[in-house]
Amino acid sequence: ATLTPAVDPFGGSIASMALQRNGRIVLSGWFEQVGGLSRRGLARLLTSGEGDPEFDQPLANQGASLAVSETGE
């Protein structure tokens, strides 16, 4: 997935990104949506760059740091 700075599909800003083994990207930051999906502070992008509709885990405190485990999760 590539991010184009001229386009703001997040409705806010990204604080952290982590790449999973499956090529998906997990994002955290100060945002309320990702690619038209309602996501508060935590979202995942598919390998196509679109928001993952199956990943919906809102954060209580937006802007958290991320880490990917050895299993890729």
Side-chain angles (χ1 to χ4, degrees):
T2 58
L3 300 177
T4 306
V7 178
D8 182 11
F10 306 104
S13 62
I14 298 169
S16 299
M17 294 191 293
L19 180 63
Q20 296 181 306
R21 286 186 180 189
N22 61 7
R24 295 178 179 179
I25 300 172
V26 180
L27 310 168
S28 71
W30 296 271
F31 50 82
E32 299 290 329
Q33 68 172 2
V34 171
L37 298 174
S38 178
R39 297 292 184 265
R40 187 181 192 301
L42 186 65
R44 184 169 63 192
L45 299 179
L46 301 171
T47 56
S48 64
E50 298 176 86
D52 185 344
E54 295 181 11
F55 186 86
D56 188 9
Q57 305 292 320
L59 288 178
N61 296 312
Q62 292 178 310
S65 296
L66 295 173
V68 177
S69 72
E70 290 182 18
T71 62
E73 297 178 7

